[in-house]
Amino acid sequence: MAYGQLLATEGRAVTCRVVDGATGRPTAARVRLVDANGKEAVPAGHPEALSDKAQEGDVRFQSRRFAYVNGEFAVDPSRLPLRYQAIKGYEYRMAEGELTPQRLRDSVAEIRLERWSSVGRAGWYSGDIHIHHIAPKTCRLEMEAEDLNVANILTSDFTTDQEQFEGRLNANSGAGRLIYVSQEFRNHQLGHLCLLNLKKLIEPVKPAQEVHYPLHLGACDQARAQGGYVSWAHFPSWPGVEGPLDVAMEKLDGLEILCVLDPRDFPVFTRQVVPEIAANDGLRLWYRYLNCGFRLTATAGTDKMTNFVTVGANRVYARVDGELTYQGWIDALKAGRTFVTNSPLVRLTVNGREAGSVLELGGQRATVGIRAEAESQLPYHRLEIVVNGEAVADATPSGPLHRAAIRLEHPVARSCWIAARVVEEMGRYRSAGVDFARIHVERGTVLGDYFGTRRPETVFAHTSPVYAIRDGKPIRNWDDAGYYVRYLDKCIEWLEREAKFARPADRQASIEAFRTGRAVFLKRQNEARQGSGPPAEWSMLSL
């Protein structure tokens, strides 16, 4: 945190300017003001009371009110002194200080925000793939204030903004701030899809489909046919009935690993079809897919619908080749060059190759060099290297930016995926009674004091994997493939007993599609058995 004292004039409105420390130019930010009695204040022109409508701008979460300001704001001098807090995303140091009633030349107080990260110069650009109920013009200010590069506003069956869809970049975009209106395709039981880079909306848009046929398979094909990107929406909370089928048929480009629910908590919706749910949080469900050989990029979004959520609080960084363009950013997602985060910045290379890469290894002994590092403005407990779902190395952060680094030579006995993750321990919050499944809590986590998320989240980041293929053999795991066979068995039971169909033939077609998906996992289970036999019991560090 940067602390300072700002002097202000007596008797008239006090102007405060927020500037970028490197350029000295005004910059947008999110600001919180508190008077000497601990009561919140708002800049002049901002509403005292704040509803939950995202269109209004400003945000309130965990009992804290923030105002979005576009480089300058004014305050009533009768409220002085005021403590302030200014935040601009994850790559600027948070600024804190005090406004006092003393005289200042030119009647202007200045808050300086210093950028500490250089990931943008290395081609990493941040995006929120899942935003609702916000006008593009309002979104642009919030993007500037949160230092977010790409915003994907998703029209859907429950929104009223279909006329905003253009099939191209929105006119409110600018250099380094790209806005694209696309679509969330939904069914409350089958699951939800974030469809990005669409040139044409996928029907039905409105109203929501009340029956469970046709399946999402066709929507995925239609999106991809027009150059779209398909990510399963808010995967930890809603893995859905159709999720394993779409994975098996390789219809998905990625999974929204960080969205709506802490990825180490357990699904909130369609719980009846998730086998052994008490041992299968969202993170492990993703790991199980990867262990079956499916290459699913990690993506992230906020599912922002209200003023309780800050745009980009969950974001995915993608490394773009050359200048930032929307198509280049989508291409980076497709290539798997990503990490997801709600504060930490994490980097990973394996044999010098970045996330999304495939390494072909052979010979009697195969060893890879793993390099990872993480920095964060908010504290966390560990940086970890994860191989096929198990933590094989960790490091504890230190210093003002909570930096941790790992250098590791790791033997590769069989094909595997390798990733890095950053975790804050959840146990202390659970002991304090934090309900991670509850929406908009009054008190929650340390992260929630600074960034608004829909449900409480711990400090977390995760890279997409690097895939190390040994002797040309695919990644397979007997137990994980068997898990998804059981998952699809439960889905088929649900289709037979509970799902709604317009015609008997639709029910039968759905069941046959799910049986086809089941056969894919069964085949991969058999391949794992033939390759190395059933694995040892699942083991991973308790997080």
mmCIF file with all atom_site columns, all heavy atoms in Angstrom, residues 471-485:
data_model
loop_
_atom_site.group_PDB
_atom_site.id
_atom_site.type_symbol
_atom_site.label_atom_id
_atom_site.label_alt_id
_atom_site.label_comp_id
_atom_site.label_asym_id
_atom_site.label_entity_id
_atom_site.label_seq_id
_atom_site.pdbx_PDB_ins_code
_atom_site.Cartn_x
_atom_site.Cartn_y
_atom_site.Cartn_z
_atom_site.occupancy
_atom_site.B_iso_or_equiv
_atom_site.pdbx_formal_charge
_atom_site.auth_seq_id
_atom_site.auth_comp_id
_atom_site.auth_asym_id
_atom_site.auth_atom_id
_atom_site.pdbx_PDB_model_num
ATOM 1   N N   . ASP A 1 471 ? 6.760   -40.545 -25.120 1.00 0.00 ? 471 ASP A N   1
ATOM 2   C CA  . ASP A 1 471 ? 6.758   -41.660 -26.079 1.00 0.00 ? 471 ASP A CA  1
ATOM 3   C C   . ASP A 1 471 ? 5.468   -41.725 -26.893 1.00 0.00 ? 471 ASP A C   1
ATOM 4   O O   . ASP A 1 471 ? 5.018   -42.817 -27.273 1.00 0.00 ? 471 ASP A O   1
ATOM 5   C CB  . ASP A 1 471 ? 6.988   -42.994 -25.348 1.00 0.00 ? 471 ASP A CB  1
ATOM 6   C CG  . ASP A 1 471 ? 8.321   -43.027 -24.616 1.00 0.00 ? 471 ASP A CG  1
ATOM 7   O OD1 . ASP A 1 471 ? 9.300   -42.468 -25.139 1.00 0.00 ? 471 ASP A OD1 1
ATOM 8   O OD2 . ASP A 1 471 ? 8.365   -43.597 -23.505 1.00 0.00 ? 471 ASP A OD2 1
ATOM 9   N N   . GLY A 1 472 ? 4.861   -40.568 -27.136 1.00 0.00 ? 472 GLY A N   1
ATOM 10  C CA  . GLY A 1 472 ? 3.678   -40.505 -27.973 1.00 0.00 ? 472 GLY A CA  1
ATOM 11  C C   . GLY A 1 472 ? 2.397   -41.026 -27.348 1.00 0.00 ? 472 GLY A C   1
ATOM 12  O O   . GLY A 1 472 ? 1.361   -41.081 -28.015 1.00 0.00 ? 472 GLY A O   1
ATOM 13  N N   . LYS A 1 473 ? 2.432   -41.371 -26.068 1.00 0.00 ? 473 LYS A N   1
ATOM 14  C CA  . LYS A 1 473 ? 1.255   -41.930 -25.407 1.00 0.00 ? 473 LYS A CA  1
ATOM 15  C C   . LYS A 1 473 ? 0.396   -40.822 -24.800 1.00 0.00 ? 473 LYS A C   1
ATOM 16  O O   . LYS A 1 473 ? 0.925   -39.931 -24.128 1.00 0.00 ? 473 LYS A O   1
ATOM 17  C CB  . LYS A 1 473 ? 1.679   -42.919 -24.324 1.00 0.00 ? 473 LYS A CB  1
ATOM 18  C CG  . LYS A 1 473 ? 2.397   -44.147 -24.876 1.00 0.00 ? 473 LYS A CG  1
ATOM 19  C CD  . LYS A 1 473 ? 2.779   -45.114 -23.772 1.00 0.00 ? 473 LYS A CD  1
ATOM 20  C CE  . LYS A 1 473 ? 3.478   -46.334 -24.340 1.00 0.00 ? 473 LYS A CE  1
ATOM 21  N NZ  . LYS A 1 473 ? 3.884   -47.294 -23.275 1.00 0.00 ? 473 LYS A NZ  1
ATOM 22  N N   . PRO A 1 474 ? -0.915  -40.827 -25.002 1.00 0.00 ? 474 PRO A N   1
ATOM 23  C CA  . PRO A 1 474 ? -1.773  -39.759 -24.484 1.00 0.00 ? 474 PRO A CA  1
ATOM 24  C C   . PRO A 1 474 ? -1.901  -39.815 -22.963 1.00 0.00 ? 474 PRO A C   1
ATOM 25  O O   . PRO A 1 474 ? -1.616  -40.840 -22.326 1.00 0.00 ? 474 PRO A O   1
ATOM 26  C CB  . PRO A 1 474 ? -3.121  -40.047 -25.152 1.00 0.00 ? 474 PRO A CB  1
ATOM 27  C CG  . PRO A 1 474 ? -3.109  -41.517 -25.392 1.00 0.00 ? 474 PRO A CG  1
ATOM 28  C CD  . PRO A 1 474 ? -1.680  -41.868 -25.721 1.00 0.00 ? 474 PRO A CD  1
ATOM 29  N N   . ILE A 1 475 ? -2.323  -38.702 -22.393 1.00 0.00 ? 475 ILE A N   1
ATOM 30  C CA  . ILE A 1 475 ? -2.600  -38.633 -20.954 1.00 0.00 ? 475 ILE A CA  1
ATOM 31  C C   . ILE A 1 475 ? -3.879  -39.402 -20.680 1.00 0.00 ? 475 ILE A C   1
ATOM 32  O O   . ILE A 1 475 ? -4.920  -39.147 -21.279 1.00 0.00 ? 475 ILE A O   1
ATOM 33  C CB  . ILE A 1 475 ? -2.749  -37.177 -20.498 1.00 0.00 ? 475 ILE A CB  1
ATOM 34  C CG1 . ILE A 1 475 ? -1.466  -36.390 -20.765 1.00 0.00 ? 475 ILE A CG1 1
ATOM 35  C CG2 . ILE A 1 475 ? -3.131  -37.098 -19.019 1.00 0.00 ? 475 ILE A CG2 1
ATOM 36  C CD1 . ILE A 1 475 ? -1.603  -34.887 -20.561 1.00 0.00 ? 475 ILE A CD1 1
ATOM 37  N N   . ARG A 1 476 ? -3.798  -40.370 -19.788 1.00 0.00 ? 476 ARG A N   1
ATOM 38  C CA  . ARG A 1 476 ? -4.958  -41.180 -19.422 1.00 0.00 ? 476 ARG A CA  1
ATOM 39  C C   . ARG A 1 476 ? -4.908  -41.501 -17.933 1.00 0.00 ? 476 ARG A C   1
ATOM 40  O O   . ARG A 1 476 ? -3.823  -41.686 -17.363 1.00 0.00 ? 476 ARG A O   1
ATOM 41  C CB  . ARG A 1 476 ? -5.008  -42.492 -20.211 1.00 0.00 ? 476 ARG A CB  1
ATOM 42  C CG  . ARG A 1 476 ? -5.208  -42.338 -21.715 1.00 0.00 ? 476 ARG A CG  1
ATOM 43  C CD  . ARG A 1 476 ? -6.625  -41.856 -22.034 1.00 0.00 ? 476 ARG A CD  1
ATOM 44  N NE  . ARG A 1 476 ? -6.851  -41.804 -23.469 1.00 0.00 ? 476 ARG A NE  1
ATOM 45  C CZ  . ARG A 1 476 ? -6.644  -40.740 -24.234 1.00 0.00 ? 476 ARG A CZ  1
ATOM 46  N NH1 . ARG A 1 476 ? -6.188  -39.609 -23.692 1.00 0.00 ? 476 ARG A NH1 1
ATOM 47  N NH2 . ARG A 1 476 ? -6.873  -40.787 -25.537 1.00 0.00 ? 476 ARG A NH2 1
ATOM 48  N N   . ASN A 1 477 ? -6.087  -41.593 -17.306 1.00 0.00 ? 477 ASN A N   1
ATOM 49  C CA  . ASN A 1 477 ? -6.194  -41.975 -15.900 1.00 0.00 ? 477 ASN A CA  1
ATOM 50  C C   . ASN A 1 477 ? -7.431  -42.836 -15.730 1.00 0.00 ? 477 ASN A C   1
ATOM 51  O O   . ASN A 1 477 ? -8.552  -42.407 -16.040 1.00 0.00 ? 477 ASN A O   1
ATOM 52  C CB  . ASN A 1 477 ? -6.267  -40.726 -15.005 1.00 0.00 ? 477 ASN A CB  1
ATOM 53  C CG  . ASN A 1 477 ? -6.314  -41.071 -13.534 1.00 0.00 ? 477 ASN A CG  1
ATOM 54  O OD1 . ASN A 1 477 ? -7.312  -41.571 -13.036 1.00 0.00 ? 477 ASN A OD1 1
ATOM 55  N ND2 . ASN A 1 477 ? -5.227  -40.796 -12.835 1.00 0.00 ? 477 ASN A ND2 1
ATOM 56  N N   . TRP A 1 478 ? -7.225  -44.048 -15.270 1.00 0.00 ? 478 TRP A N   1
ATOM 57  C CA  . TRP A 1 478 ? -8.301  -45.047 -15.146 1.00 0.00 ? 478 TRP A CA  1
ATOM 58  C C   . TRP A 1 478 ? -9.406  -44.559 -14.214 1.00 0.00 ? 478 TRP A C   1
ATOM 59  O O   . TRP A 1 478 ? -10.590 -44.630 -14.532 1.00 0.00 ? 478 TRP A O   1
ATOM 60  C CB  . TRP A 1 478 ? -7.703  -46.353 -14.632 1.00 0.00 ? 478 TRP A CB  1
ATOM 61  C CG  . TRP A 1 478 ? -8.667  -47.491 -14.531 1.00 0.00 ? 478 TRP A CG  1
ATOM 62  C CD1 . TRP A 1 478 ? -8.987  -48.396 -15.493 1.00 0.00 ? 478 TRP A CD1 1
ATOM 63  C CD2 . TRP A 1 478 ? -9.422  -47.865 -13.376 1.00 0.00 ? 478 TRP A CD2 1
ATOM 64  N NE1 . TRP A 1 478 ? -9.896  -49.303 -15.025 1.00 0.00 ? 478 TRP A NE1 1
ATOM 65  C CE2 . TRP A 1 478 ? -10.184 -49.000 -13.724 1.00 0.00 ? 478 TRP A CE2 1
ATOM 66  C CE3 . TRP A 1 478 ? -9.522  -47.352 -12.081 1.00 0.00 ? 478 TRP A CE3 1
ATOM 67  C CZ2 . TRP A 1 478 ? -11.045 -49.622 -12.820 1.00 0.00 ? 478 TRP A CZ2 1
ATOM 68  C CZ3 . TRP A 1 478 ? -10.372 -47.968 -11.186 1.00 0.00 ? 478 TRP A CZ3 1
ATOM 69  C CH2 . TRP A 1 478 ? -11.122 -49.085 -11.564 1.00 0.00 ? 478 TRP A CH2 1
ATOM 70  N N   . ASP A 1 479 ? -9.031  -44.038 -13.054 1.00 0.00 ? 479 ASP A N   1
ATOM 71  C CA  . ASP A 1 479 ? -10.023 -43.627 -12.060 1.00 0.00 ? 479 ASP A CA  1
ATOM 72  C C   . ASP A 1 479 ? -10.831 -42.427 -12.532 1.00 0.00 ? 479 ASP A C   1
ATOM 73  O O   . ASP A 1 479 ? -12.049 -42.371 -12.369 1.00 0.00 ? 479 ASP A O   1
ATOM 74  C CB  . ASP A 1 479 ? -9.321  -43.306 -10.740 1.00 0.00 ? 479 ASP A CB  1
ATOM 75  C CG  . ASP A 1 479 ? -10.304 -42.889 -9.655  1.00 0.00 ? 479 ASP A CG  1
ATOM 76  O OD1 . ASP A 1 479 ? -11.166 -43.700 -9.284  1.00 0.00 ? 479 ASP A OD1 1
ATOM 77  O OD2 . ASP A 1 479 ? -10.223 -41.732 -9.201  1.00 0.00 ? 479 ASP A OD2 1
ATOM 78  N N   . ASP A 1 480 ? -10.164 -41.441 -13.152 1.00 0.00 ? 480 ASP A N   1
ATOM 79  C CA  . ASP A 1 480 ? -10.859 -40.224 -13.564 1.00 0.00 ? 480 ASP A CA  1
ATOM 80  C C   . ASP A 1 480 ? -11.794 -40.474 -14.741 1.00 0.00 ? 480 ASP A C   1
ATOM 81  O O   . ASP A 1 480 ? -12.884 -39.905 -14.805 1.00 0.00 ? 480 ASP A O   1
ATOM 82  C CB  . ASP A 1 480 ? -9.845  -39.137 -13.886 1.00 0.00 ? 480 ASP A CB  1
ATOM 83  C CG  . ASP A 1 480 ? -9.077  -38.699 -12.649 1.00 0.00 ? 480 ASP A CG  1
ATOM 84  O OD1 . ASP A 1 480 ? -9.712  -38.534 -11.592 1.00 0.00 ? 480 ASP A OD1 1
ATOM 85  O OD2 . ASP A 1 480 ? -7.851  -38.538 -12.728 1.00 0.00 ? 480 ASP A OD2 1
ATOM 86  N N   . ALA A 1 481 ? -11.361 -41.311 -15.680 1.00 0.00 ? 481 ALA A N   1
ATOM 87  C CA  . ALA A 1 481 ? -12.262 -41.670 -16.779 1.00 0.00 ? 481 ALA A CA  1
ATOM 88  C C   . ALA A 1 481 ? -13.470 -42.425 -16.237 1.00 0.00 ? 481 ALA A C   1
ATOM 89  O O   . ALA A 1 481 ? -14.613 -42.195 -16.658 1.00 0.00 ? 481 ALA A O   1
ATOM 90  C CB  . ALA A 1 481 ? -11.523 -42.499 -17.814 1.00 0.00 ? 481 ALA A CB  1
ATOM 91  N N   . GLY A 1 482 ? -13.239 -43.315 -15.271 1.00 0.00 ? 482 GLY A N   1
ATOM 92  C CA  . GLY A 1 482 ? -14.347 -44.043 -14.658 1.00 0.00 ? 482 GLY A CA  1
ATOM 93  C C   . GLY A 1 482 ? -15.300 -43.133 -13.921 1.00 0.00 ? 482 GLY A C   1
ATOM 94  O O   . GLY A 1 482 ? -16.517 -43.374 -13.877 1.00 0.00 ? 482 GLY A O   1
ATOM 95  N N   . TYR A 1 483 ? -14.756 -42.052 -13.320 1.00 0.00 ? 483 TYR A N   1
ATOM 96  C CA  . TYR A 1 483 ? -15.611 -41.096 -12.634 1.00 0.00 ? 483 TYR A CA  1
ATOM 97  C C   . TYR A 1 483 ? -16.617 -40.491 -13.599 1.00 0.00 ? 483 TYR A C   1
ATOM 98  O O   . TYR A 1 483 ? -17.806 -40.380 -13.286 1.00 0.00 ? 483 TYR A O   1
ATOM 99  C CB  . TYR A 1 483 ? -14.773 -39.989 -11.986 1.00 0.00 ? 483 TYR A CB  1
ATOM 100 C CG  . TYR A 1 483 ? -15.615 -38.906 -11.357 1.00 0.00 ? 483 TYR A CG  1
ATOM 101 C CD1 . TYR A 1 483 ? -16.128 -39.069 -10.072 1.00 0.00 ? 483 TYR A CD1 1
ATOM 102 C CD2 . TYR A 1 483 ? -15.930 -37.744 -12.051 1.00 0.00 ? 483 TYR A CD2 1
ATOM 103 C CE1 . TYR A 1 483 ? -16.923 -38.095 -9.486  1.00 0.00 ? 483 TYR A CE1 1
ATOM 104 C CE2 . TYR A 1 483 ? -16.723 -36.765 -11.478 1.00 0.00 ? 483 TYR A CE2 1
ATOM 105 C CZ  . TYR A 1 483 ? -17.213 -36.947 -10.197 1.00 0.00 ? 483 TYR A CZ  1
ATOM 106 O OH  . TYR A 1 483 ? -18.014 -35.982 -9.637  1.00 0.00 ? 483 TYR A OH  1
ATOM 107 N N   . TYR A 1 484 ? -16.160 -40.101 -14.784 1.00 0.00 ? 484 TYR A N   1
ATOM 108 C CA  . TYR A 1 484 ? -17.078 -39.482 -15.733 1.00 0.00 ? 484 TYR A CA  1
ATOM 109 C C   . TYR A 1 484 ? -17.996 -40.491 -16.409 1.00 0.00 ? 484 TYR A C   1
ATOM 110 O O   . TYR A 1 484 ? -19.075 -40.114 -16.888 1.00 0.00 ? 484 TYR A O   1
ATOM 111 C CB  . TYR A 1 484 ? -16.310 -38.619 -16.738 1.00 0.00 ? 484 TYR A CB  1
ATOM 112 C CG  . TYR A 1 484 ? -15.957 -37.279 -16.133 1.00 0.00 ? 484 TYR A CG  1
ATOM 113 C CD1 . TYR A 1 484 ? -14.648 -36.943 -15.837 1.00 0.00 ? 484 TYR A CD1 1
ATOM 114 C CD2 . TYR A 1 484 ? -16.964 -36.375 -15.796 1.00 0.00 ? 484 TYR A CD2 1
ATOM 115 C CE1 . TYR A 1 484 ? -14.344 -35.726 -15.247 1.00 0.00 ? 484 TYR A CE1 1
ATOM 116 C CE2 . TYR A 1 484 ? -16.678 -35.164 -15.210 1.00 0.00 ? 484 TYR A CE2 1
ATOM 117 C CZ  . TYR A 1 484 ? -15.372 -34.835 -14.930 1.00 0.00 ? 484 TYR A CZ  1
ATOM 118 O OH  . TYR A 1 484 ? -15.086 -33.626 -14.326 1.00 0.00 ? 484 TYR A OH  1
ATOM 119 N N   . VAL A 1 485 ? -17.625 -41.756 -16.410 1.00 0.00 ? 485 VAL A N   1
ATOM 120 C CA  . VAL A 1 485 ? -18.593 -42.784 -16.812 1.00 0.00 ? 485 VAL A CA  1
ATOM 121 C C   . VAL A 1 485 ? -19.753 -42.795 -15.824 1.00 0.00 ? 485 VAL A C   1
ATOM 122 O O   . VAL A 1 485 ? -20.935 -42.813 -16.206 1.00 0.00 ? 485 VAL A O   1
ATOM 123 C CB  . VAL A 1 485 ? -17.926 -44.174 -16.888 1.00 0.00 ? 485 VAL A CB  1
ATOM 124 C CG1 . VAL A 1 485 ? -18.980 -45.269 -17.059 1.00 0.00 ? 485 VAL A CG1 1
ATOM 125 C CG2 . VAL A 1 485 ? -16.925 -44.232 -18.044 1.00 0.00 ? 485 VAL A CG2 1
#
